[in-house]
Amino acid sequence: MIDFRYHVVSIVAVFLALTVGLVIGSSYLSKVAYDELNNQLSSLRGQNQALHSTQNELDNQVRDRDSLIAALGPDAVAGKLAGHSVAVVMLPGADGSSGDALAALLGKAGAQVTGEVTLKSALLDPGQATKLAATGAKLPAAERGGEQLPTPSASATSGTPAPVVAMADIAGAVVHRIPANSSGIGEQKITDQASQDVLTAYSDAGFVDVKAASATSADLVVVLAPPAPSSGSAGNDAADALYLGFLKDLTGGGRSLGAVLAGPASSAASPGLLAAALKDGWVSKNVSTADTADQPSGRIITVFALAEAAGGKTGHYGLTGTADGPLPDLH
C-alpha cells in the first residue's frame, strides 16, 4: 500500500522537474531572444550608418552647390541695380551676417548701398516706451516721419503708440522722405542732415544700430526679417503689425521706388513675417518678398526682386513654394 510520504515525494519530484524544465527552457528561449534582438540591433546600426553616409553626402552636395551659387552670384546680378541706391534694414532678430553678405552683393549689382540700419528689440519693449517717445520728441517736427498707413499722422502728439511713431521716423530717415502733410498724401524730402539727425538720435538712445551710413537717400529698400518663432503669440502678432506698418512707411505715398522684405525660409511659413506680409492686402500688393535670404541663392533672388521693384512691379519669390516662382522675369 502506497503511504502518504510517497505521495509527497512524488508531488515534490513533479514540481522539481517542472522547475528544472522551466529554467532550462527559459535559458534557451532567452538566448534565442537575445540573438534575435542582437541581430536587429546590428541591422539598425548598419542602416543608421548608411543614413549618416547619405546625409553627409547630401550636406556636401548642398555646400558645393551654395559655393557655386555664391561664386556665380556677382556675375548673375551684375548691373541689375546700376544707378540705384539701396538701404539695408535689419529687423530685431535678423541675421547680421546675412545683411553684410547682401550689402556686398548689392554693390556687385551696381547699387550704392546707403547703409545698414539694424532695429533693436528695445523698440518693442513696453518698458522703453517712455524713453522712446522722449527720444522722438527731441527731434524737430519737420524731420519726423509720421506713419503712413492706416492712420497717418504728422507728429507724436496724435496718441499713436511710441513704437509706431519711431518706426515712421526711421523709415523717413532711411528714404529721406516723409509725408508732406498730416493726411499722409504726397511726400516731402528732408535734408541729408535731418536724416542723419533722426538716425543718430535713435542710435544714441539704444534703439537702432547704424553701419556705414551715407548722406545719400535710398530709392530702394530691402528689409531683412528674423526667423519665424516656434509658435504664434499675441506678442508676435503685435511685432508683425509694427513691421508691416514700417514697410508701408517705407513705400507708401511714393516715398521710394519699392521695398523687398527678405528672410530665411522659416519666415515664409506662419507665424513668420513673410507669411504675414502675404496675408496683408496692402503689403502684398506693394512690397515684394524673397525667402531663403540667408543663403546665396536667396540673396540673388532678393537682388532680382529689387530690380523688378525699381521697374514698378512687385512679386513674391523664393524656394519655398511661393506663388510667383523662384525669380522674377526681368526680360
Side-chain angles (χ1 to χ4, degrees), residues 61-79:
Q61 291 177 7
V62 170
R63 184 167 56 251
D64 292 342
R65 181 205 63 189
D66 288 344
S67 297
L68 176 61
I69 292 173
L72 295 176
D75 289 333
V77 303

Side-chain angles (χ1 to χ4, degrees), residues 109-282:
Q112 178 181 356
V113 179
T114 64
E116 297 176 45
V117 179
T118 301
L119 308 186
K120 302 177 75 171
S121 58
L123 280 165
L124 285 70
D125 183 358
Q128 298 286 323
T130 300
K131 179 182 178 182
L132 185 61
T135 299
K138 296 176 182 177
L139 295 166
E143 298 179 0
R144 307 205 62 190
E147 71 278 13
Q148 179 73 6
L149 291 172
T151 309
S153 172
S155 72
T157 62
S158 62
T160 306
V164 176
V165 177
M167 296 284 271
D169 288 342
I170 295 167
V174 168
V175 297
H176 291 218
R177 290 187 180 276
I178 59 176
N181 52 50
S182 59
S183 68
I185 305 301
E187 59 185 31
Q188 172 189 342
K189 190 175 190 309
I190 61 175
T191 65
D192 297 338
Q193 186 60 53
S195 172
Q196 291 183 355
D197 289 345
V198 171
L199 293 178
T200 298
Y202 284 108
S203 177
D204 289 346
F207 294 107
V208 302
D209 284 331
V210 182
K211 181 178 180 180
S214 72
T216 304
S217 61
D219 60 12
L220 294 167
V221 184
V222 57
V223 178
L224 290 180
S230 57
S231 61
S233 65
N236 183 67
D237 291 343
D240 283 354
L242 183 65
Y243 299 151
L244 295 178
F246 180 63
L247 291 168
K248 296 169 185 177
D249 292 331
L250 289 168
T251 58
R255 264 184 271 179
S256 66
L257 292 179
V260 174
L261 175 64
S266 67
S267 64
S270 183
L273 182 57
L274 268 68
L278 291 177
K279 293 178 183 178
D280 185 283
W282 193 96

